[in-house]
């Protein structure tokens, strides 16, 4: 339409020129012929501008055409002056070419001989057809990395458009955040999309944040006292270079599958199955970082444990056996009454000697005697009936004699006696011991039955002493500070374990001590809580004891450990009352 209007205007312009030429010629003819004065030029009555309105995109141009007209609307050849009412929006050249500079509306005027025509020009932004990002492929950031993206607006012809506002978005701010200037900042490992939006058009790029590098791996759990057939769990702890824990899954391996296998159970847990005796190392590895733990698996005990359970403070004491053969086993009560304690099995495990402490049901007198009963609870008979008390019995290794502690009278010195299982052969082994030894207790046979270890008190000092099985060759073994009790022999007869109350440091409570006969120098087993009444297993691999977790308090339970102090293991769980005391090994 604008082109048609301009063609018409050109035709009007030619006609106006021809008319002016004819008028001039006529005037000349009249003058030559003596005619009247020349006709003056026609005045500009109006100026028309075409098109009257136009829409132009920023950066583009449009040409306006202005025509001066006389009063009869006939075109005139006149000078036209162009002007823009707002040069910030659009400018206009001397020939009527309008250049759009900024969005808005502007009036363009054409002036000739004081007459003005105008056009309204609407300037609009160039529409965004596409957004392009500075990154075409996936952006990869380290765990603490950052980078900056830029976004460019493009028009339909592929030209860059500047000055447009960009809005940035992250699909997962917990993985990566994006600032208003396009700066990406890693927040956590994972994958997210970052999008730039310009006037409704968007461009997106994927961002991958690498995990925090692993700084170290550690293993939680102390596999101690593990035996063949046990299953237990280890857990891994993974720490990143940022010092924070990482939820990473470890790869678990074993260096000796014949001793223990390992299999991941949950995210940080691994199940370890002990399948054989020996030493094994379990390793947890994450991204090249690893931690290992080495431990020893011991064959299960060959014997069970018999012990006294004291359930209340009125003297109720019963004998129980707890199995050591594996699996969950509940203690089995023996049919030996409820005033029985200090059991000692015969070498074949078929009979028990034990002490009874009660008020005699017939005479009403205090009774502290020894009894023998078959393991099945049948055939119970009284072994001793002397005045005073007899207790702490222990069966000889060959089964021929029973050693015990007795005091025959209120003020009599406690001494060591032997008796045959049938009640014959009663003999005082300590009659020849000097009266300066005011107390003898806790007798224990050597494995070959040739010697006896016991606690002797001289000048109030309770120490480990030794004598021959016939009461001769008395000699002191321990001499350093402390209150000693409850000696037990190693199966090879070279070492004695005993309990010591540490007088110099009462906070230690009661501890197990190991003393070689060759040196007489005890070594403390540093375990928490109290440990009492040790009993060396027949195969020498364990020491059983009763004790508590906290010194001086709590319910006593049974434990075992290796002779070097490692492998402490609870054997009687959920004990009630005062708990378990005085363990002894018995054939299964």
């Amino acid at each position: 339409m604008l082109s048609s209007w301009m063609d018409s205007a050109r035709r009007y312009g030619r006609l106006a020129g021809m008319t002016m030429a004819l008028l001039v010629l006529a005037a000349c003819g009249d003058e030559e012929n003596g005619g009247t004065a020349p006709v003056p030029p026609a005045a500009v009555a109006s100026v028309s501008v075409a098109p009257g309105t136009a829409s132009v995109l920023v950066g583009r141009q449009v040409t306006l055409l202005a025509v001066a007209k006389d009063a009869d609307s006939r075109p005139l050849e006149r000078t036209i002056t162009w002007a823009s009412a707002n040069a910030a929006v659009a400018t206009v050249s001397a020939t009527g070419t309008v250049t759009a500079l900024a969005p808005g509306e502007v009036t363009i005027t054409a002036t000739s001989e004081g007459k003005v025509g105008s056009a309204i020009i609407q300037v609009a932004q160039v529409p965004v057809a596409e957004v392009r990002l500075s990154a075409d492929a996936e952006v990869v950031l380290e765990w603490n990395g950052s980078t900056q993206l830029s976004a460019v607006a493009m028009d339909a012809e592929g030209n860059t458009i500047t000055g447009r506002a960009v809005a940035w978005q992250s699909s997962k701010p917990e993985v990566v955040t994006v600032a208003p200037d396009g700066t990406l900042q890693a927040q956590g490992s994972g994958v997210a999309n970052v999008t730039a939006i310009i006037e409704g058009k968007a461009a997106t790029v994927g961002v991958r944040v690498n995990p925090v590098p692993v700084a170290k791996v550690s293993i939680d759990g102390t596999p101690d006292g593990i035996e063949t057939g046990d299953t237990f769990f280890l857990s891994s702890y993974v720490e990143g270079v940022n010092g924070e824990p990482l939820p990473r899954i470890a790869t678990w391996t074993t260096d000796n599958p014949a001793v223990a296998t390992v299999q991941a159970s949950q995210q940080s847990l691994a199940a370890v199955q002990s399948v054989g005796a020996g030493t094994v190392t379990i390793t947890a590895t994450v991204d090249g970082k690893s931690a290992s733990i080495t431990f020893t698996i011991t064959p299960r005990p060959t014997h069970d444990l018999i012990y006294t359970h004291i359930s209340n403070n009125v003297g109720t004491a019963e004998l129980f056996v707890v199995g050591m053969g594996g699996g969950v086993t509940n203690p089995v009560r023996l049919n030996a009454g409820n005033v029985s304690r200090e059991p000692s099995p015969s070498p074949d495990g078929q009979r028990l000697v034990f002490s009874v402490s009660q008020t005699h049901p017939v005479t009403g007198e205090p009774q502290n005697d020894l009894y023998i009963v078959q393991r099945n609870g049948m055939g119970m008979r009284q072994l001793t009936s002397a005045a005073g008390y007899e207790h702490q019995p222990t069966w000889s290794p060959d089964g021929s004699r029973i050693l015990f502690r007795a005091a025959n009278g209120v003020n009599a010195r406690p001494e060591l006696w032997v008796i045959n299982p049938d009640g014959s052969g009663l003999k005082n082994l300590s009659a020849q011991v000097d009266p300066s030894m005011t107390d003898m207790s806790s007798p224990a046979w050597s494995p070959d039955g040739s010697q006896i270890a016991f606690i002797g008190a001289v000048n109030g000092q309770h120490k480990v002493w030794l004598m021959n099985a016939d009461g001769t060759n008395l000699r002191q073994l321990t001499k350093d500070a402390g209150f000693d009790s409850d000696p037990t022999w190693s199966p090879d007869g070279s070492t004695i374990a005993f309990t010591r109350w540490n007088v110099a440091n009462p906070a230690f409570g009661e501890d197990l001590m190991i003393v070689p006969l060759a040196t007489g120098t005890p070594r403390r087993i540093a375990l928490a809580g109290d440990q009492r009444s040790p009993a060396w297993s027949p195969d020498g691999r364990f020491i059983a004891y009763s004790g508590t977790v906290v010194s001086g308090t709590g319910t006593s339970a049974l434990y075992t450990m290796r002779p070097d102090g490692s492998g402490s293991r609870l054997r009687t769980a959920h004990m009630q009352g005062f708990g378990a005391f005085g363990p002894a090994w018995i054939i299964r």
Side-chain angles (χ1 to χ4, degrees):
M1 181 175 182
L2 175 62
S3 175
S4 176
W5 187 92
M6 293 177 68
D7 289 341
S8 299
R10 292 189 183 97
R11 288 196 298 272
Y12 282 130
R14 288 194 296 270
L15 290 174
M18 294 173 60
T19 301
M20 290 295 298
L22 291 173
L23 291 173
V24 171
L25 290 175
C28 291
D30 288 343
E31 185 177 351
E32 291 176 357
N33 296 320
T36 60
V39 178
V44 175
S46 64
V47 175
S48 61
V49 177
T53 60
S55 296
V56 186
L57 298 177
V58 172
R60 308 290 176 85
Q61 293 180 328
V62 63
T63 299
L64 302 179
L65 182 63
V67 177
K69 296 180 179 180
D70 62 11
D72 296 325
S73 297
R74 290 175 295 192
L76 302 174
E77 287 285 347
R78 296 290 190 275
T79 299
I80 302 296
T81 301
W82 293 91
S84 171
N86 189 345
V89 175
T91 60
V92 61
S93 70
T95 59
T97 297
V98 177
T99 300
L101 301 178
E105 183 179 282
V106 63
T107 299
I108 304 297
T109 58
T111 304
S112 181
E113 297 179 5
K115 302 301 182 182
V116 178
S118 64
I120 303 300
I121 305 300
Q122 299 285 343
V123 179
Q125 288 275 30
V126 176
V128 175
E130 179 186 2
V131 176
R132 295 181 185 176
L133 296 175
S134 56
D136 295 328
E138 182 182 61
V139 177
V140 179
L141 297 177
E142 294 305 316
W143 67 276
N144 60 347
S146 64
T147 191
Q148 187 171 29
L149 297 181
S150 60
V152 177
M154 311 293 291
D155 65 13
E157 286 75 37
N159 300 312
T160 299
I161 305 173
T162 61
R164 303 299 173 88
V166 182
W168 294 92
Q169 294 179 351
S170 170
S171 64
K172 294 181 180 178
E174 68 276 15
V175 174
V176 62
T177 57
V178 56
D181 65 352
T183 298
L184 307 183
Q185 180 61 57
Q187 301 296 330
S189 62
V191 177
N193 289 325
V194 170
T195 302
I197 303 172
I198 303 177
E199 297 176 6
K201 302 296 183 180
T204 298
V205 66
V207 178
R208 180 180 300 275
V209 177
N210 288 330
V212 177
V214 175
K216 67 177 182 180
V217 177
S218 57
I219 295 176
D220 293 332
T222 304
D224 202 11
I226 303 302
E227 297 170 0
T228 52
D230 285 344
T231 298
F232 61 96
F233 290 89
L234 296 175
S235 64
S236 62
Y237 176 81
V238 184
E239 183 177 307
V241 296
N242 59 354
E244 298 293 328
L246 299 178
R248 306 293 294 278
I249 298 176
T251 299
W252 296 85
T253 57
T254 173
D255 73 335
N256 196 344
V259 174
T261 61
V262 61
Q263 183 175 5
S265 175
Q266 297 178 16
Q267 178 167 305
S268 63
L269 292 179
V272 180
Q273 175 69 48
S274 59
V275 294
T279 300
V280 64
T281 298
I282 302 296
T283 301
T285 303
V286 180
D287 292 351
K289 303 290 184 179
S290 63
S292 297
I293 188 166
T294 300
F295 54 94
T296 298
I297 295 175
T298 305
R300 293 197 179 278
T302 57
H303 289 56
D304 294 334
L305 286 177
I306 186 169
Y307 62 95
T308 303
H309 177 239
I310 300 177
S311 58
N312 54 46
N313 59 3
V314 295
T316 301
E318 298 175 302
L319 305 184
F320 282 83
V321 173
V322 61
M324 300 283 104
V328 178
T329 58
N330 294 319
V332 176
R333 179 182 176 275
L334 300 184
N335 184 24
N338 61 3
V339 289
S340 307
R341 62 190 72 207
E342 301 173 328
S344 176
S346 61
D348 61 5
Q350 297 305 305
R351 292 178 294 170
L352 307 171
V353 60
F354 59 96
S355 64
V356 169
S357 178
Q358 66 174 346
T359 300
H360 197 282
V362 177
T363 67
E365 297 295 326
Q367 181 187 12
N368 295 278
D369 297 316
L370 301 183
Y371 281 74
I372 289 179
V373 68
Q374 295 180 27
R375 187 167 179 172
N376 61 9
M378 304 297 291
M380 185 180 296
R381 59 185 173 83
Q382 187 171 353
L383 181 63
T384 64
S385 59
Y389 59 86
E390 300 86 43
H391 67 144
Q392 296 179 348
T394 177
W395 218 301
S396 65
D398 64 2
S400 65
R401 292 177 295 172
I402 293 172
L403 177 66
F404 62 97
R405 177 180 187 249
N408 295 324
V410 176
N411 297 315
R413 178 179 72 165
E415 297 187 281
L416 305 182
W417 296 67
V418 290
I419 191 172
N420 297 332
D422 62 3
S424 65
L426 180 65
K427 180 182 179 180
N428 183 354
L429 296 180
S430 55
Q432 58 192 343
V433 175
D434 190 277
S436 62
M437 183 175 289
T438 58
D439 187 13
M440 285 163 274
S441 63
S442 305
W445 294 102
S446 65
D448 62 2
S450 66
Q451 299 183 76
I452 295 172
F454 65 97
I455 300 300
V458 177
N459 296 324
Q461 300 296 310
H462 290 71
K463 301 300 174 189
V464 178
W465 291 71
L466 303 175
M467 67 167 61
N468 292 344
D470 60 3
T472 62
N473 193 22
L474 179 69
R475 58 210 183 271
Q476 185 175 353
L477 180 61
T478 61
K479 300 178 182 179
D480 51 331
F483 186 99
D484 300 343
S485 63
D486 303 321
T488 181
W489 294 77
S490 63
D492 62 4
S494 67
T495 309
I496 287 178
F498 63 96
T499 300
R500 169 169 289 175
W501 169 260
N502 195 304
V503 177
N505 194 341
F508 285 164
E510 294 178 279
D511 293 315
L512 296 187
M513 309 292 291
I514 306 293
V515 55
L517 270 65
T519 66
T521 302
R523 172 177 59 89
R524 174 177 176 262
I525 301 296
L527 296 176
D530 289 324
Q531 300 84 47
R532 313 180 187 94
S533 306
W536 219 305
S537 67
D539 61 6
R541 295 187 293 112
F542 301 93
I543 296 177
Y545 61 93
S546 59
T548 58
V549 175
V550 180
S551 295
T553 186
T555 300
S556 181
L558 295 191
Y559 297 82
T560 60
M561 69 173 190
R562 302 186 185 104
D564 62 0
S566 65
S568 177
R569 177 167 175 154
L570 177 66
R571 297 295 186 174
T572 52
H574 311 298
M575 295 303 298
Q576 298 179 351
F578 291 100
F581 299 88
W585 295 94
I586 186 170
I587 289 178
R588 183 170 301 125

